[in-house]
C-alpha cells in the first residue's frame, strides 16, 4: 500500500551560513538602534536649540524696539518749540539759525542722538546739531528721503539708511511741525553699539528690512547683503531713495540642508568657512524688519552622534549579556555533570593542603627552635668574649688591686701603733685612708662584676659619656702597664644612643684594648676615644698611633678566629663579636687606617632621647 504521507527533511543550514546570518542580524539591528537614537537625540537637541533661539530673538527684538521707542518723543517735543517755527518763518535770519543750531546741538548731546536737524517744506536743511562739523547737514536737501515725504504727508516718518552726507548709517525718526509754517524735524539714531554687542554675544544675528537687505549683523561680511536676489524694480527704488547709497547689495550664499524636515537648517557663508546652522526668525513689530538667528548645530550633531554610539554599544552589550547568560547556563549544566569529579578533586586537594600545612608547621617549629639555639649560642659567645677579655686583663687588674691591698696592710699596722701610743688623730687619718682604699677596690670589683654579668639583649637609651667612663676604667690599668695614654675627648652634652650599656662597653673595651696593644708595639703612644654626631647616628671613634692595618688584615678584619697577635694573646673573636653586637643594636662597626697613621674603628649607633631628659 503506498504511503499517504511524504515527509521531507530539508538539509540543515551549514554552520558558516548560520554564523553569517547571525552576524548580519546583529549588524543590521545595531545600525537600526543607532540611527533611531541619533534621529531622536538630534531632533530633541535641535528643538531645544530652536526654543532657546526664539526666546533670545524675542528678547533682542524687545530690546531693539525699546531702544528706538525712547527717541520717539524727542522730535515731537522739538516740533512744538517756537524757535524752530521762527526759523522756518525767517530762514534767512542768521540769529534764528544760530539759536536753533545751539538748541539742536544741546538736545542731541543730552539724548545721545547721532544728529537732529530741521528741514523746510522743500527738503532743505536749515539747522542741524552737527553744524560745527565739516560734513554738516545744513544746506543739504533731503526731499528724496522717504522719512521726509512720509512726515510731510502723514505727520511722521521712520527710515533706516546710510547717510548720504556722512556715509554713517542710522535710524531716522521724523515729525512734522504743527502750525502754519511747514517743516520737519528729524532725529538720527546710531545702532552701532547694539551691533557691537551682537558681535560679542553668543550666536549669530542679522536684521533685515522689508526688502530683505541685511543692515545690521553680528558678522561684518553679512552686512549690506540680501536674503535673496533683488529685482530690478527694487534696486531702482533703493537707488532713488539712496537708502544704502551705491552699494552693490549682493545676495548671501545660503544653501538649504536636509538634516531635519521640521526645522530650517541652512549652510551660510562666513569669512572663514560655511556655517551649518539652525535658522530662526522673529519680526520686529511696527517696523517691517525681520530678526534672524543662525545657531550652529555642530554641537547638537556631536551629542546625537555620541548617543548613537552609546545606543550601539548598549545593543552590543545587550547581545553580549544574552550570550553570556546562555554560556553561563551551558557551563552550569557542565558543572552539574562534572560535580562528582570536581568534588573528588577538591577533597584530594584539601588532603594535600592539610599535609603540606603540617609539614610547613613542623619546619616553622624547627626554625623557631634553631633560632632560639642560635640566640643562646650568640649570647654564650658574647659572654665568653667578655670573660676572655677579663682573663687577658687579669694581670693588670691584679696589679691594680694589689697596690691598695699593700697600702691597707701598712696603714693598718701604723694605726695599731698609733692607738698603742695614744695618737688618736693620726690613727683616724689612717682609718680614713683605709676607707678610701677599700672604696677604690670596691669600684674596681664592681666594674668587673658588671662587665662579666650575663645579660639578655634589651635595647634602651644609653648615655655615651657614662659608657666611655666605664670602658676607660676597665682598661686604664692595662694602658698604664703598657705605657699608653688614654685620651677621652669631651662628649657632646646629653648625647645618648639606643643600645645596651654592658654590650656597648664590651665593644669599646675590645676596641680600646686593640688600640693599646697596637700603640704598645711602637713603644707607647696615645689611644683616643671620641664621640661625634652624624645626622641621626652617633659615631663612637677609637683611634691609635700603632702601625695601622694592612690590606690583607682589612679584608679579614671581622672574620672569626683571625688575629695578628702572638699565640696565646688572643682568640680572634673580639672584633667578630663586636661587629655582631653592633648589628644587633641596629648599628654597624667599621675599621680602617687614618691618613696621619695608625688605625681607627668607628661604632655607629642610632641617636635617641637621653634618660636624663636631654637629646
Amino acid at each position: 500500500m503506498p504511503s499517504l504521507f511524504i515527509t521531507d527533511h530539508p538539509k540543515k543550514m551549514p554552520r558558516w551560513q548560520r554564523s553569517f546570518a547571525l552576524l548580519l542580524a546583529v549588524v543590521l539591528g545595531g545600525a537600526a538602534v543607532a540611527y533611531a537614537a541619533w534621529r531622536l537625540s538630534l531632533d530633541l537637541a535641535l528643538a531645544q536649540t530652536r526654543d532657546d533661539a526664539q526666546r533670545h530673538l524675542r528678547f533682542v527684538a524687545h530690546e531693539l524696539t525699546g531702544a528706538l521707542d525712547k527717541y520717539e518723543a524727542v522730535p515731537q517735543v522739538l516740533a512744538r518749540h517756537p524757535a524752530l517755527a521762527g526759523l522756518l518763518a525767517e530762514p534767512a535770519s542768521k540769529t534764528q539759525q544760530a539759536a536753533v543750531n545751539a538748541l539742536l546741538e544741546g538736545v542731541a548731546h543730552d539724548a545721545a542722538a547721532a544728529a537732529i536737524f530741521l528741514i523746510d517744506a522743500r527738503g532743505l536743511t536749515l539747522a542741524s546739531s552737527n553744524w560745527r562739523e565739516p560734513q554738516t547737514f545744513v544746506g543739504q536737501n533731503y526731499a528724496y528721503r522717504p522719512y521726509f515725504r512720509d512726515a510731510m504727508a502723514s505727520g511722521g516718518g521712520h527710515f533706516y539708511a546710510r547717510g548720504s552726507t556722512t556715509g554713517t548709517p542710522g535710524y531716522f525718526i521724523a515729525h512734522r511741525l504743527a502750525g502754519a509754517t511747514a517743516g520737519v524735524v528729524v532725529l538720527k539714531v546710531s545702532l552701532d553699539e547694539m551691533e557691537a554687542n551682537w558681535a560679542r554675544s553668543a550666536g549669530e544675528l542679522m536684521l533685515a528690512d522689508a526688502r530683505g537687505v541685511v543692515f545690521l549683523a553680528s558678522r561684518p561680511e553679512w552686512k549690506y547683503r540680501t536674503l535673496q536676489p533683488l529685482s530690478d524694480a527694487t534696486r531702482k527704488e533703493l537707488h532713488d531713495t539712496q537708502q544704502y547709497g551705491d552699494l552693490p547689495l549682493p545676495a548671501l550664499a545660503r544653501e538649504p540642508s536636509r538634516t531635519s524636515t521640521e526645522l530650517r537648517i541652512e549652510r551660510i557663508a562666513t569669512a572663514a568657512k560655511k556655517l551649518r546652522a539652525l535658522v530662526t526668525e522673529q519680526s520686529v513689530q511696527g517696523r517691517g524688519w525681520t530678526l534672524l538667528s543662525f545657531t550652529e548645530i555642530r554641537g547638537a550633531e556631536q551629542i546625537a552622534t555620541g548617543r548613537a554610539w552609546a545606543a550601539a554599544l548598549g545593543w552590543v552589550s545587550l547581545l553580549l549579556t544574552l550570550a553570556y547568560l546562555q554560556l553561563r547556563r551551558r557551563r552550569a549544566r557542565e558543572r552539574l555533570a562534572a560535580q562528582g569529579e570536581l568534588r573528588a578533586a577538591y577533597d584530594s586537594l584539601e588532603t594535600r593542603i592539610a599535609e603540606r600545612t603540617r609539614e610547613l608547621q613542623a619546619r616553622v617549629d624547627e626554625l623557631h627552635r634553631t633560632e632560639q639555639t642560635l640566640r643562646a649560642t650568640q649570647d654564650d659567645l658574647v659572654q665568653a668574649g667578655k670573660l676572655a677579655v677579663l682573663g687577658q686583663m687579669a694581670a693588670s687588674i691584679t696589679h691594680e688591686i694589689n697596690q691598695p691591698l699593700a697600702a691597707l696592710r701598712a696603714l693598718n699596722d701604723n694605726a695599731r701603733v698609733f692607738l698603742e701610743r695614744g695618737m688618736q688623730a693620726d690613727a683616724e687619718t689612717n682609718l680614713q685612708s683605709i676607707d678610701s682604699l677599700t672604696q677604690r677596690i670596691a669600684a674596681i670589683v664592681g666594674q668587673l662584676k658588671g662587665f662579666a654579668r650575663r645579660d639578655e639583649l634589651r635595647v634602651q637609651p644609653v648615655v655615651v659619656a657614662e659608657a666611655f667612663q666605664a670602658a676607660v676604667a676597665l682598661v686604664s690599668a692595662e694602658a698604664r702597664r703598657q705605657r699608653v695614654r688614654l685620651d677621652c675627648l669631651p662628649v657632646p652634652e646629653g648625647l645618648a644612643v639606643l643600645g645596651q650599656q654592658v654590650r656597648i662597653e664590651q665593644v669599646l673595651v675590645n676596641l680600646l684594648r686593640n688600640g693599646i696593644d697596637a700603640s704598645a708595639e711602637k713603644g707607647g703612644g696615645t689611644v683616643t676615644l671620641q664621640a661625634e654626631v652624624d645626622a641621626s647616628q652617633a659615631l663612637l671613634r677609637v683611634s691609635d698611633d700603632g702601625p695601622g692595618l694592612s690590606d690583607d688584615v682589612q679584608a679579614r678584619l671581622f672574620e672569626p678566629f683571625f688575629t695578628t697577635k702572638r699565640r696565646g694573646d688572643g682568640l680572634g673573636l673580639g672584633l667578630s663579636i663586636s661587629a655582631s653586637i653592633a648589628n644587633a643594636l641596629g648599628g654597624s662597626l667599621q675599621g680602617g687606617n687614618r691618613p696621619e697613621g695608625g688605625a681607627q674603628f668607628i661604632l655607629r649607633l642610632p641617636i635617641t632621647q637621653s634618660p636624663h631628659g636631654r637629646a
Side-chain angles (χ1 to χ4, degrees), residues 333-601:
R333 290 194 297 268
E334 292 176 357
R335 283 197 299 271
L336 290 175
Q339 185 175 9
E341 296 178 4
L342 291 175
R343 173 57 60 183
Y346 178 75
D347 293 341
S348 175
L349 181 61
E350 280 191 337
T351 302
R352 292 176 61 189
I353 290 175
E355 292 175 354
R356 186 61 176 168
T357 302
R358 286 192 294 272
E359 293 176 3
L360 290 175
Q361 185 62 43
R363 292 186 180 181
V364 169
D365 295 340
E366 183 180 354
L367 288 174
H368 184 66
R369 289 191 296 271
T370 303
E371 182 182 2
Q372 290 179 342
T373 302
L374 179 61
R375 187 178 294 110
T377 303
Q378 185 177 12
D379 292 341
D380 291 341
L381 183 61
V382 171
Q383 183 67 18
K386 292 193 289 185
L387 295 177
V389 170
L390 288 176
Q392 293 169 1
M393 296 189 304
S396 300
I397 294 172
T398 302
H399 177 71
E400 187 75 10
I401 295 177
N402 280 336
Q403 285 183 343
L405 287 176
L408 281 174
R409 285 195 295 271
L411 290 172
N412 183 57
D413 294 339
N414 290 339
R416 184 182 300 109
V417 174
F418 289 149
L419 289 174
E420 291 174 355
R421 296 178 181 180
M423 301 171 65
Q424 187 70 24
D426 294 331
E428 290 179 358
T429 301
N430 278 14
L431 291 175
Q432 291 176 358
S433 299
I434 291 171
D435 181 63
S436 176
L437 290 173
T438 56
Q439 290 180 6
R440 179 182 176 187
I441 294 173
I444 294 173
V445 173
Q447 290 284 349
L448 294 175
K449 289 173 62 179
F451 185 77
R453 183 176 64 248
R454 177 184 292 274
D455 55 355
E456 296 180 359
L457 181 59
R458 295 179 181 177
V459 178
Q460 58 187 1
V462 175
V463 179
V464 174
E466 296 178 0
F468 276 13
Q469 183 179 1
V472 169
L474 288 171
V475 300
S476 59
E478 179 70 14
R480 287 194 299 271
R481 186 178 68 82
Q482 299 198 45
R483 295 189 299 279
V484 174
R485 186 170 67 90
L486 294 178
D487 188 5
C488 184
L489 300 181
V491 179
E493 184 178 0
L495 180 61
V497 295
L498 195 63
Q500 190 175 24
Q501 179 88 26
V502 174
R503 299 206 177 191
I504 293 176
E505 292 175 8
Q506 182 178 355
V507 175
L508 293 175
V509 166
N510 281 329
L511 298 179
L512 289 172
R513 291 191 68 257
N514 288 342
I516 292 170
D517 292 342
S519 297
E521 290 181 11
K522 297 180 68 175
T526 302
V527 176
T528 304
L529 186 60
Q530 182 182 3
E532 301 174 359
V533 176
D534 181 16
S536 61
Q537 288 187 323
L539 278 59
L540 310 185
R541 191 187 309 271
V542 179
S543 55
D544 59 63
D545 294 336
L549 305 173
S550 64
D551 294 339
D552 180 63
V553 171
Q554 290 191 53
R556 305 178 62 187
L557 198 57
F558 299 106
E559 182 180 324
F561 301 107
F562 173 74
T563 179
T564 60
K565 298 179 181 180
R566 297 188 305 272
R567 183 180 298 274
D569 289 345
L571 300 176
L573 293 175
L575 289 178
S576 176
I577 294 174
S578 297
S580 176
I581 292 174
N583 293 331
L585 297 178
S588 63
L589 181 61
Q590 301 168 343
N593 291 321
R594 296 192 303 164
E596 61 271 22
Q600 68 173 356
F601 287 84

Side-chain angles (χ1 to χ4, degrees), residues 54 68 89 144 184 230 246 267 289 297 320 354 364 375 393 420 491 533 589 600:
Q54 287 178 343
L68 296 178
Y144 61 89
V184 176
L230 299 178
D246 295 327
R267 292 182 182 271
W289 297 342
I297 64 171
L320 290 177
V364 169
R375 187 178 294 110
M393 296 189 304
E420 291 174 355
V491 179
V533 176
L589 181 61
Q600 68 173 356

Side-chain angles (χ1 to χ4, degrees), residues 11-41:
K11 291 184 178 180
K12 191 175 182 181
M13 184 182 293
R15 183 174 181 181
W16 71 268
Q17 292 183 356
R18 294 199 306 272
S19 300
F20 178 76
L22 179 61
L23 178 62
L24 182 62
V26 170
V27 172
L28 293 178
V33 170
Y35 176 77
W38 177 82
R39 181 78 268 170
L40 178 61
S41 299

